[in-house]
Amino acid sequence: MTCARAREAFVEGWGREGSGNSSVLDHAGACPACAEELRRLSSLLETVSADEVPDPGAGYWETFAARVRARTGEGTPRLRRFGTAPRLSRRAPWIPAAAAAAAILAVASFWLVATRTSVPGGGDLATLRSRLETNLESATDADRTAAADILPMMESPTDSEAWLQATWAPDEESAEESLSRVTTILSPSEGGGLPDTSGWAEGLSKEQIDALIKDLAAGEGTGSGGKPEAGTG
Amino acid sequence: MPDENGSPPGDAGILDRLRNGDRDAFDDLVRLYQRDVYHVAYRLTRNAGEADDLAQETFLRAYTAIDGFRGEASLRTWLLRIVTNLGLNVVQSARVARRSGDDVEGAAPPVPADAERTVIESERMTRLGPAIRALPPKQRATLMLRVNEGLKFKEIARIMGCTTGTAKANFFHAVAALKESLKDFLG
């Protein structure tokens, strides 16, 4: 078990049976860094879980249903048989899917070149681009929307190396999962990387993206963490 | 024992009664889940008045939409999805900020004093509220659903309308931010 997987498994199981599963404990026993990290993580999660909601009092709960009923009128809702109701409509994507896809490609390429970081597990910029394109072709609208949701997170400084290790598992996941994870690895490194990447690529066309990637791959990116010009191509 | 959708046994009974026009069934549904819904509303808004509004609005939406409830998730998950989405709208529209003077975190009824709680623990809890409020709304919601409501990431993804990977990413970003905010108090 890797350090990243041990930490993920710990969080997935936290608060339930299995949070102390033997694989995680075995790993922590042999890895002082993870043992310390899991201890701090546990402390944090326990603190959050201890954050109590002030109880509004027994009177509040006793009258709550009546107050709701008063607002609904006296009618009683009737259920149709399951399966006859229309699906709930999906919320509109935060930004158009195509723009999100373009942003992912462009930012990934820029990030890799700017930080001179190879794709974890081997590969290079072309490998990542190919993989991203394949994933995006098979991704659902929801995944593209999810990708768009993640892009703003890139404004938050995080430890990108840790995220790379924690989120990249190209041989073990579906295209959907991979797409989601790939968007996650785009977080800029603390104190450098891309300080504001959440919106700059949204309006670019595929041709512009291709040109940008070509330029970046040739080493003509800013490499300084600055925001590239949208019209590079 | 929960069924294959994770629904508790009470769900089926309530749904059957609603289907049969039982006038009290919806009240029972409200009573069964009112605390869960209110707690999520409060944790999102950190405001008792907003939480009350959100909780009532959640059940009103459920009342009008239950005709379309298909039973793919438990009633609890369905209600938590409604209240989470409503709460995110409230937080994102900064309504809470405009009303922050009436019942913000610092003025909320305090956690009952614990004589054995250390100064560091007290300080940690004091710092926690502002640190959570500072999180982006989706990260705040994800953290709360995982830690306080005990939901799996798959359930959180269903509630938030995102992928499991996105839910995990939101969670770990929230954890990273809180670790930074509370680094002096985590021992």
Side-chain angles (χ1 to χ4, degrees), chain A residues 5 7-8 10-16 36-37 39-41 43-58 60-62 64-69 71-88 91 140 142-143 145-147 149-150 153-154 156 158 163 176-177 180-181 183-184 187 190, chain B residues 15-16 18-24 26-27 30-31 34-35 38-39 42-43 46 51-53 55-57 59-60 63 66-72 78 81 105 108-109 111-112 124-125 128 132 138-139 143 146-148 150-153 160-166 168-173 175-176 178-180 182-183 185-187:
Chain A
R5 181 55 197 148
R7 296 172 189 186
E8 187 173 355
F10 176 81
V11 168
E12 288 173 344
W14 187 84
R16 289 194 293 268
E36 173 63 13
E37 175 62 19
R39 187 186 65 77
R40 290 173 64 84
L41 195 55
S43 176
L44 174 66
L45 298 180
E46 286 171 8
T47 299
V48 174
S49 71
D51 180 35
E52 297 177 8
V53 173
D55 194 299
Y60 176 86
W61 299 120
E62 289 167 1
F64 184 82
R67 284 183 284 130
V68 171
R69 176 184 278 247
R71 292 179 63 184
T72 61
E74 287 302 310
T76 301
R78 295 290 297 269
L79 281 176
R80 293 185 193 136
R81 294 178 59 191
F82 292 152
T84 59
R87 290 182 64 87
L88 292 174
R91 66 186 175 89
T140 64
D143 293 311
T145 302
D149 285 342
I150 284 191
M153 292 183 192
M154 296 190 303
S156 303
T158 57
W163 276 100
E176 292 180 1
E177 284 289 314
S180 177
R181 288 169 182 271
T183 59
T184 302
S187 300
E190 189 167 6
Chain B
L15 291 169
D16 282 344
L18 285 170
R19 210 173 283 125
N20 293 327
D22 183 337
R23 295 173 63 86
D24 295 328
F26 193 79
D27 286 358
V30 173
R31 291 191 193 96
Q34 59 188 9
R35 290 176 186 271
Y38 178 88
H39 285 180
Y42 183 87
R43 290 188 196 283
R46 318 295 293 191
D52 180 44
D53 288 347
Q56 289 195 45
E57 183 65 23
F59 285 107
L60 289 173
Y63 181 87
I66 198 158
D67 191 38
F69 179 71
R70 299 191 305 162
E72 292 181 342
W78 183 59
R81 178 171 190 160
E105 174 69 13
V111 175
R124 185 194 307 172
M125 295 307 294
L128 180 64
I132 289 177
K138 289 184 180 178
Q139 292 182 27
L143 179 78
R146 175 67 194 91
V147 177
N148 300 111
L151 299 183
K152 298 175 183 175
F153 285 113
M160 302 285 289
C162 65
T163 63
T164 304
T166 300
K168 288 182 182 179
N170 274 318
F171 179 86
F172 280 108
H173 276 284
V175 165
L178 288 184
K179 279 166 64 179
E180 178 63 24
L182 303 174
K183 61 184 176 184
F185 303 96
L186 289 178

Side-chain angles (χ1 to χ4, degrees), chain B residues 66-107:
Chain B
I66 198 158
D67 191 38
F69 179 71
R70 299 191 305 162
E72 292 181 342
S74 68
L75 278 171
R76 179 173 184 261
T77 298
W78 183 59
L79 291 167
L80 294 189
R81 178 171 190 160
I82 296 173
V83 70
T84 299
N85 288 331
L86 289 173
L88 287 174
N89 289 340
V90 168
V91 173
Q92 287 165 344
S93 65
R95 280 176 59 197
V96 171
R98 291 200 300 272
R99 294 177 56 171
S100 60
D102 57 3
D103 187 15
V104 293
E105 174 69 13

Side-chain angles (χ1 to χ4, degrees), chain A residues 108-180:
Chain A
S109 305
F110 177 79
W111 183 81
L112 280 171
V113 173
T115 60
R116 299 289 191 269
T117 303
S118 60
V119 177
D124 52 18
L125 180 62
T127 302
L128 177 60
R129 180 185 173 186
S130 174
R131 183 170 183 78
L132 282 169
E133 287 178 336
T134 301
N135 287 344
L136 288 168
E137 286 173 4
S138 58
T140 64
D141 287 346
D143 293 311
R144 293 191 178 101
T145 302
D149 285 342
I150 284 191
L151 288 174
M153 292 183 192
M154 296 190 303
E155 295 178 10
S156 303
T158 57
D159 183 346
S160 63
E161 279 300 316
W163 276 100
L164 285 168
Q165 297 303 322
T167 59
W168 190 267
D171 297 325
E172 302 173 1
E173 59 195 9
S174 68
E176 292 180 1
E177 284 289 314
S178 180
L179 173 65
S180 177

